Amino acid sequence: MAVTVSIFSTPSPLPLVNLKHLKASHKSASISHRRQLSVLAMTSISLPINVDYLETEFSGHGVSFQGVGDSCAVKMVMENGSVATLMLPSGLVTSYKPIMWHGATFEVLHTTVSEGEAGEAVVRGGASMDFKIHADGCSSIPWSSNHWSLQSVRGSPENSIQVELLSLSPHSMVEAKFLVTLDQDSISSELIVANTKSSSAIEMSGSFISHLKVSTPDATYAVGLQGSNYHSKKPISSEFSIIPPSLWTPNEKEEEEGSSTEESEGEEDDDYAHMTEKMSRIYTSAPRQFTIIDRGRRNSVVIRRSGLEEVYMYSPGSEHDWYGNYAYVCVGPSAKLRPLVVAPGGIWRGSQCIHNPNL
C-alpha cells in the first residue's frame, strides 16, 4: 500500500517511506509493485508525480528529472552533447537536440505551449503516438497510449540511454511497453504490445506522430518516396496534434464529416516531393527509410521504421509565418488503413527512428 502511494504526491498525511529499507525488503517484488503503479498512473492521472521518488529510484545513466506542473520532464543527455526530453506520464517527447557537425545542437522537433481553459499549460507537437486497441473486431479495450509509468532506465551517456515505460489495461488484458532510446546520432521510439489474457485476437490501429521543425513547408522536401502509393486522408487528430484551425474550408469540413467523403489515391511521382501545399496522406508502399530536407534551415533527418507498413505524412501548407506555430511537417509509421492483429498470447513490436545524418 505504502509503495503504491509513494510514487505520487498527495495532500493526505501519509507515513514516510524509507526507500533504502524498501529496496532491501521488497527487491523481489519490485516488478509487481511497478506494474501496480502503472495502473495508478493511468487511473489517477490528476495526481502530480513525485519527482523526488523518481530521482532517488532512477537517477543516473545520464538521466535527470524535473517537475513541470502535474507532469515530470525526463532529460536524457549524451556525453557528445545530444539531448532529449520525455514527459511523464504522457510519453510525449518534447525535444530532440542532436549534436551537429559544427559542434552545436539543433532542435529537430516542433513543440508549442499554450494556456488551457483552466490556466494550465497545454503542450502539443513533439513526437508522440496515438494507438487504439479493439477486441473481437469491435469492442474497445480501455487502454491509452498516452499514460505511462516509469519502469527502468538503462545505458550510459557514452553509448546510449534507454527509458522504459509500462502501461497495463484493466484486468491486464493488454500489457504495453514503450522504449525511448537516445543514441549519439538518433532517437528511437519502440512500442511493444502483448495480448496477455484475451482469448481472442486484438486489433491495433493508429500511428506514431512526429512534428518535425522546419523553416516553412515551402522549403521542405520528402526525399526517396518516388513510386510509393498513397491515400489522401484527413489529418490525424490526437491529444498532441497541431492542426491549423483554417486547414479545411467550410465545404471541406462538411464533406469530411459526411458519409460520402471521397478520398483520393495516387502514386508519388517525384523523388523530391515538395511539401509546400497542405496535404495529409497515408503511404502504403514507402521504403523503410526516407529523408526530410529543410533547405531553409539547411538541415535534414532520416526517418526509419519497423513493424509498420504504412507512413503518415502531413503538411499544414505554406501560407503561415516562417518559423511560426505552423512551421513543421508531420511524419510517422502508422496502421490507419489496415489494423495490426495480435493473436492470443502474441507480442507485436513497432518502432520509429529519427536519425541525424549531420554529425
Side-chain angles (χ1 to χ4, degrees), residues 252-298:
E252 286 174 319
K253 186 79 173 177
E254 187 175 318
E255 290 177 2
E256 178 183 305
E257 295 172 351
S259 58
S260 60
T261 302
E262 293 185 7
E263 297 173 343
S264 62
E265 300 180 21
E267 179 181 307
E268 189 58 68
D269 57 4
D270 195 338
D271 202 40
Y272 278 74
H274 201 183
M275 303 189 74
T276 184
E277 301 294 336
K278 63 180 182 181
M279 63 91 164
S280 178
R281 294 174 177 173
I282 302 292
Y283 286 85
T284 56
S285 58
R288 288 291 168 181
Q289 73 171 45
F290 59 92
T291 303
I292 301 293
I293 294 178
D294 175 15
R295 291 180 175 172
R297 299 177 83 209
R298 298 182 180 179

Side-chain angles (χ1 to χ4, degrees), residues 216-228:
T216 170
D218 190 43
T220 305
Y221 298 80
V223 182
L225 295 177
Q226 187 173 27
S228 301

Side-chain angles (χ1 to χ4, degrees), residues 29-40:
S30 62
I31 296 178
S32 174
H33 287 318
R34 288 177 183 172
R35 288 183 177 179
Q36 293 175 22
L37 294 169
S38 298
V39 177
L40 183 58

